[in-house]
Amino acid sequence: MTSLAHRIRRSAAIAVSLAAGSTLALTGTATAHSGNPCGSAASSAPVAKGLYQTAHSERNHVLWATSSVGEPPVTNSSLVKLDPHTLKAEAVYRPPVTNPETGAVEAVYGIAVDDEHNTVWTTNTRDNSVAVYSQRTGKRLASLPGVNHAREVVVDEKHNLAWASSFGDGSVVAFDTRTYKEKKRVTLAGSSPAGMAVDERTGTAYATDFANDRIIEITPLATSPRLIPTGDGPLSIALSKDGRTAYSADQAAGTVSVINLRKGAVTKTVPTGAGAKSVATDPRSGRILVANRTTATVTVVDPRKGTVVDSLTTGANTNHVHVAHGAAFVAAKSGSGPEGQDLLHRFPLGH
């Protein structure tokens, strides 16, 4: 396969994976079982059609989720505030309408929490922008254009920056979280930035380059980014607690790559399942969790040994995994709720 054909295939795959959510209708939680110790006492709840990503606020003790559904014009999208223990909705906020004639809204997809400034950042993929919402009121505070096919956003609270991946034009963009002004833009021709992570101790930002099987590393003082190889089709990235190791969910390969950032090399490759889409780190155990969309599982991996230690069953179309306070929150686009909603699972994690 030529490199151009490879890029087209991947671009089509990620475009499909970005199609998301609709109307919110949350009922009570239901017990979910994984059949293994890691997932014991798991619970799940129907949240919305097109459930996309989640992020946890320690400041407010809540879980935030995004949902959007369908092709443009997207008319149903929600920013949802949830109790992280019961998974019940505490509030639902609708993005503003952008086109009164069609009813299209500024649909939300990726999400990150900024507890320092009590805000939530979202990527508005269809509108080529990112937005900022108040955690206190749910009001949209700003909409920041110029992020082409924005996919993910991550906040560096220590350095007052929000980093977003501009998949459509090969850029990684940083915004000031106090003024919402653009502070930095790094563009690599032919790249497709997707997943985002940041090391707050150093201020270094990382983006997976989905098209070119690499990580884009942006340090505060460097004049150009460092490029680090990874697995086939890296869509998501997470960092170890000490910031020395990166983990990429390699969608095309169905693996997770363990990358030594100092050496700039993959040290282990662990098969997790077809459609590896999202990766998160459990800071307590050091284990990593990979959401596998096609196999409808979350794989728990010991990165030091390079072995799979658990597999959690989530239902169809596992989309995103997020770890907070000893639990993994997993969004699955199964459509298996009583009104066709997608499910959010909560899996307690062992030490």
Side-chain angles (χ1 to χ4, degrees):
M1 181 180 292
T2 65
S3 59
L4 177 59
H6 201 196
R7 177 174 167 80
I8 291 173
R9 174 177 65 81
R10 291 185 179 177
S11 297
I14 199 170
V16 169
S17 73
L18 281 169
S22 125
T23 307
L24 181 137
L26 189 143
T27 61
T29 59
T31 301
H33 299 284
S34 68
N36 45 64
C38 185
S40 60
S43 60
S44 63
V47 173
K49 295 178 181 178
L51 183 62
Y52 199 70
Q53 288 189 357
T54 62
H56 182 265
S57 167
E58 292 189 10
R59 174 173 178 165
N60 298 294
H61 308 293
V62 298
L63 189 72
W64 292 92
T66 55
S67 72
S68 297
V69 70
E71 299 298 322
V74 177
T75 59
N76 292 301
S77 180
S78 302
L79 179 63
V80 188
K81 184 179 181 181
L82 299 156
D83 183 308
H85 302 290
T86 66
L87 304 183
K88 292 182 178 180
E90 296 181 350
V92 180
Y93 304 107
R94 307 291 182 180
V97 173
T98 57
N99 187 329
E101 293 184 3
T102 65
V105 299
E106 190 180 74
V108 293
Y109 294 88
I111 188 169
V113 165
D114 178 8
D115 276 344
E116 180 68 23
H117 302 97
N118 209 21
T119 56
V120 174
W121 287 69
T122 66
T123 59
N124 314 314
T125 306
R126 306 295 190 183
D127 293 277
N128 301 317
S129 64
V130 298
V132 190
Y133 289 81
S134 166
Q135 286 201 65
R136 185 176 63 85
T137 66
K139 179 183 178 181
R140 191 194 67 170
L141 304 175
S143 182
L144 312 176
V147 188
N148 194 334
H149 203 84
R151 189 179 191 280
E152 288 200 9
V153 61
V154 65
V155 172
D156 180 350
E157 293 183 351
K158 181 178 178 181
H159 297 92
N160 296 302
L161 292 174
W163 292 89
S165 54
S166 185
F167 181 85
D169 64 6
S171 299
V172 181
V173 189
F175 296 93
D176 190 309
T177 52
R178 299 160 297 185
T179 65
Y180 311 144
K181 302 295 184 182
E182 183 176 318
K183 296 289 288 185
K184 189 169 187 175
R185 180 179 292 261
V186 176
T187 303
L188 289 175
S191 68
S192 299
M196 292 294 309
V198 66
D199 184 344
E200 292 193 67
R201 287 173 298 183
T202 64
T204 301
Y206 299 88
T208 59
D209 183 354
F210 186 69
N212 298 291
D213 302 339
R214 63 190 182 185
I215 294 170
I216 302 167
E217 180 188 76
I218 304 169
T219 58
L221 299 179
T223 57
S224 60
R226 177 187 179 214
L227 304 177
I228 303 170
T230 185
D232 190 8
L235 191 56
S236 175
I237 184 172
L239 301 178
S240 61
K241 188 175 182 179
D242 62 12
R244 298 174 183 175
T245 307
Y247 312 107
S248 66
D250 309 320
Q251 187 180 60
T255 60
V256 62
S257 295
V258 180
I259 304 111
N260 183 310
L261 292 174
R262 183 179 64 83
K263 296 180 179 179
V266 174
T267 59
K268 293 182 181 67
T269 301
V270 183
T272 60
K277 187 172 184 183
S278 176
V279 62
T281 309
D282 179 3
R284 300 191 310 171
S285 67
R287 291 174 174 176
I288 50 179
L289 293 89
V290 182
N292 308 297
R293 183 180 178 89
T294 306
T295 55
T297 59
V298 170
T299 305
V300 184
V301 174
D302 183 331
R304 291 176 290 274
K305 297 179 180 178
T307 57
V308 173
V309 298
D310 213 341
S311 182
L312 313 177
T313 301
T314 62
N317 300 322
T318 313
N319 198 68
H320 184 254
V321 58
H322 175 68
V323 174
H325 282 284
F329 298 92
V330 182
K333 293 184 178 181
S334 62
S336 57
E339 298 178 15
Q341 310 100 318
D342 297 330
L343 297 185
L344 178 63
H345 303 283
R346 183 183 187 275
F347 293 98
L349 300 174
H351 291 283

